[in-house]
Structures are given as structure tokens and as C-alpha cells.
Amino acid sequence: KAGVTQTPRYLIKTRGQQVTLSCSPISGHRSVSWYQQTPGQGLQFLFEYFSETQRNKGNFPGRFSGRQFSNSRSEMNVSTLELGDSALYLCASSLPDIGELFFGEGSRLTVL
Amino acid sequence: AQSVTQPDIHITVSEGASLELRCNYSYGATPYLFWYVQSPGQGLQLLLKYFSGDTLVQGIKGFEAEFKRSQSSFNLRKPSVHWSDAAEYFCAVGAQDSNYQLIWGAGTKLIIKP
């Protein structure tokens, strides 16, 4: 069974640009969560999608958004990038109402 | 407020020595408990989980953890560490009544001395 796939793995952007990250969950998993990981802040929950609906949301500004498609694939978008958005963005999928997360390898974003 | 505390930011142990990583939580409901490991440049991998039943749970890579309700703890242990265990370890807690949304500890970085 294929794991969680995140693309791209690495990307470099400049301040003010926007970025879209993609996540393909494990087949059969309908819940997708996104996390931001930085050395200073650790793992920060961004949002969770289940059946194309945002079910939970963390404490991030509106520049961070996401969506989920009917095939459970998910994208997150960050607009008007700031230097502080440099981070590893992790996607995780799960079966509904289980709580056990399966993580991808992450997309490492560098904002210059 | 719900919280998870991993009191040790870094831990250094010699290869072959035993290991215990601490995790304490503050949670009103009956918790589901997890330990994840993250190797450098990688995503997180589930080591073990506790949902109910036997409070001593076995995981992958020779790890085990014990749920102690009276101490609100879920410490991770390994009798003999290997150099490949060098990684960052995260404790997480969730519950059914919070939509299984996990609360994460800050992580403990394990350094192995040769």
C-alpha cells in the first residue's frame, strides 16, 4: 500500500509570492491533516479535512488555506509569503475517528 | 487546558544503554496516546499507541511505553539503544470527544554516544 505522498519535496520562494503544496493520502483514508514544523515552534496544527470539509483548524492567519478533493487528495496554499513561513510542511492521513496519523515526508519551504 | 509535556528537549545516551523518554499530559477525557519518531529530513512514523486495555504497549523497533493514569504519564522505553535510534521523538494525545484532534509535545531529541 503506497504511503502518503507530498509534492514538491523542496521549494524556494521569495517574500510576497504564494505557494501550493499537494498531498495524496493513503488509499482509503478520507481524513487529511496539515502541520507546520519549525525548529522554534515545533509541530503546529494547521487544519484537517474530512470528506472535502474542513473539520478542524489551528491558529494560523488566513493566508494559510487548504482544500480537499473528492478523491481525498488535499492541497494547502500560503499566500503573501513571509520569511517566517519557512518550514517543513507535513501532511498526514488517517481513517476517520481513529486518531492514528500516517505522515508524508514533508515539503520543505524556504522563503527568501 | 489540554497539554502534553515532554520535559527533556535533548537526551544523550550511550549506545547499548537503556532509554526512557518522559511524556506527561493534562487531559480531561480518557486519552488515546501515541509516540512518533522523526528521523532527520523525514516525516513522522508511529512507534506505538495506547487506546485501552493493557497499559504496557509494545511498538516497533523494540520500543515500549507504559500508561500510568495516576501519574498522567506515557513514558517511552527501550532496554538497549542503537545508533540508528538517534532521532526526535514526539508524544501526542487525543480523545474521541475532541474529534481525535491530537495535541503534541514539543519533542525530545535523542543523541546516541558511540
Side-chain angles (χ1 to χ4, degrees):
Chain A
K1 199 183 224 183
V4 177
T5 304
Q6 292 188 246
T7 55
R9 289 291 314 279
Y10 303 92
L11 64 166
I12 300 174
K13 294 285 188 178
T14 56
R15 279 180 299 173
Q17 287 187 310
Q18 73 165 9
V19 66
T20 299
L21 309 178
S22 179
C23 173
S24 294
I26 292 172
S27 177
H29 287 193
R30 293 163 57 198
S31 173
V32 174
S33 300
W34 288 90
Y35 287 83
Q36 181 195 67
Q37 186 178 31
T38 59
Q41 298 296 317
L43 268 172
Q44 301 286 315
F45 171 71
L46 280 155
F47 27 66
E48 182 211 0
Y49 286 86
F50 174 70
S51 292
E52 301 179 65
T53 301
Q54 188 179 88
R55 186 161 72 165
N56 288 300
K57 188 178 188 303
N59 189 26
F60 276 81
R63 299 186 297 109
F64 293 81
S65 63
R67 59 178 176 169
Q68 187 180 33
F69 302 96
S70 59
N71 61 358
S72 294
R73 191 177 70 84
S74 177
E75 289 181 347
M76 68 162 283
N77 184 274
V78 188
S79 62
T80 320
L81 284 165
E82 301 176 359
L83 295 178
D85 297 332
S86 294
L88 180 66
Y89 290 87
L90 292 164
C91 167
S93 73
S94 65
L95 292 167
D97 302 335
I98 295 292
E100 178 179 343
L101 299 178
F102 296 82
F103 283 85
E105 293 190 317
S107 293
R108 184 165 295 281
L109 171 65
T110 301
V111 182
L112 302 176
Chain B
Q2 300 158 348
S3 65
V4 178
T5 302
Q6 293 180 248
D8 305 304
I9 299 174
H10 298 97
I11 278 189
T12 301
V13 298
S14 298
E15 190 169 16
S18 64
L19 170 70
E20 182 169 33
L21 302 182
R22 295 181 290 164
C23 173
N24 293 94
Y25 65 90
S26 172
Y27 214 87
T30 301
Y32 295 171
L33 300 155
F34 304 85
W35 275 99
Y36 283 83
V37 60
Q38 184 179 33
S39 298
Q42 302 293 313
L44 280 73
Q45 180 184 21
L46 180 69
L47 276 177
L48 47 78
K49 61 191 177 188
Y50 172 79
F51 284 0
S52 64
D54 191 347
T55 56
L56 183 63
V57 294
Q58 304 296 321
I60 62 171
K61 304 185 182 188
F63 285 91
E64 67 176 27
E66 186 171 12
F67 171 52
K68 293 185 177 180
R69 185 186 300 275
S70 61
Q71 298 177 19
S72 297
S73 69
F74 189 56
N75 294 349
L76 181 71
R77 300 193 294 249
K78 186 170 185 178
S80 175
V81 298
H82 186 261
W83 65 265
S84 60
D85 293 324
E88 191 155 20
Y89 293 79
F90 293 90
C91 179
V93 177
Q96 183 177 4
D97 63 355
S98 64
N99 229 2
Y100 301 96
Q101 190 54 53
L102 296 185
I103 298 173
W104 294 85
T108 298
K109 190 166 187 177
L110 175 63
I111 301 163
I112 307 294
K113 284 193 301 186

